[in-house]
Amino acid sequence: MKDYLISLYIDNELDLDEKITFVETVHSDRAFTDETVGLLKQELRLRFNPVVRLPAAPVIHDLPASRWNLFSFWLKPLAGFAAALLLVFLFTLQHPLPTLPQEQPHRFVIYLPETTQARIVGTFTGWKPVLMEPVGTSGYWTLTLKVPAGEHRYSYLVEEGRQMADPTVAIREQDDFGGENSVIEVQVAAI
């Protein structure tokens, strides 16, 4: 309790009741008085002679004024940039961004019993035809492709290069060549 009172007294943090207790203890206990005075003298040395044991630091202001201005001109923005990079780095360590798949498997199916070949073209193939596979002799043609997330346009090419929109997709738009493309939105599956 006595050390606690001395510390509060030195830091000027005693309330009135504690000050009364402190003064009474100083007057009644010689060891407490000596300890308090010793700590006060030590505090006095620390407050008014703090640099005695420290080596002198180099003074940066000894640079010529023109060099100092150039130095400070570049130092402040670089320090700010470095601090910003550090904050971003620390934030990403604590909160890693989830990695979402960039492509999603999508199955295309069309019923064309009268054709002997079906292909698909679209934004996800770079508008290059990709051959579809027949499903036995059922008349269905199918193909599963990895399609990037987002909005895509496509159509089917059947015998002799005839283009047709996907009859199962309601959203369509005219292309620049007089044909019609189906429009789909591919969503990335949540993890």
Side-chain angles (χ1 to χ4, degrees):
M1 176 67 176
K2 292 179 181 181
D3 291 341
Y4 174 74
L5 280 175
I6 294 170
S7 176
L8 290 176
Y9 175 76
I10 290 172
D11 295 335
N12 197 23
E13 296 177 358
L14 294 175
D15 63 22
L16 289 176
D17 290 331
E18 292 169 328
K19 286 179 183 179
I20 292 169
T21 304
F22 181 81
V23 170
E24 289 172 347
T25 307
V26 165
H27 286 291
S28 65
D29 185 349
R30 183 67 190 167
F32 181 76
T33 303
D34 292 342
E35 183 180 355
T36 303
V37 170
L39 289 173
L40 284 170
K41 286 180 180 178
Q42 181 180 353
E43 183 72 19
L44 184 64
R45 283 191 302 270
L46 289 174
R47 286 189 184 176
F48 294 108
N49 206 2
V51 191
V52 172
R53 292 180 213 103
L54 296 177
V59 178
I60 199 163
H61 294 289
D62 287 346
L63 292 173
S66 60
R67 287 183 62 198
W68 172 249
N69 288 339
L70 181 63
F71 179 72
S72 67
F73 174 77
W74 287 105
L75 182 63
K76 290 176 185 177
L78 287 177
F81 182 70
L85 282 178
L86 179 64
L87 287 174
V88 167
F89 177 72
L90 291 175
F91 180 78
T92 57
L93 283 180
Q94 291 178 350
H95 307 285
L97 297 174
T99 55
L100 298 175
Q102 298 301 311
E103 296 181 327
Q104 189 73 20
H106 190 83
R107 185 171 183 234
F108 297 92
V109 179
I110 188 165
Y111 181 68
L112 296 169
E114 70 282 352
T115 192
T116 59
Q117 185 182 44
R119 295 172 290 164
I120 189 170
V121 295
T123 55
F124 44 84
T125 69
W127 294 102
K128 294 178 182 167
V130 177
L131 194 60
M132 298 180 75
E133 299 174 11
V135 181
T137 58
S138 64
Y140 284 97
W141 296 80
T142 185
L143 180 65
T144 301
L145 292 172
K146 286 191 174 183
V147 180
E151 187 176 89
H152 295 282
R153 285 141 184 81
Y154 72 99
S155 60
Y156 295 109
L157 298 177
V158 292
E159 294 175 347
E160 299 178 15
R162 182 171 59 97
Q163 177 184 350
M164 63 181 287
D166 189 335
T168 63
V169 175
I171 302 172
R172 298 179 182 176
E173 71 178 18
Q174 295 292 317
D175 65 17
D176 295 337
F177 307 102
E180 193 173 49
N181 292 317
S182 299
V183 180
I184 58 170
E185 178 79 27
V186 175
Q187 302 289 328
V188 175
I191 295 178

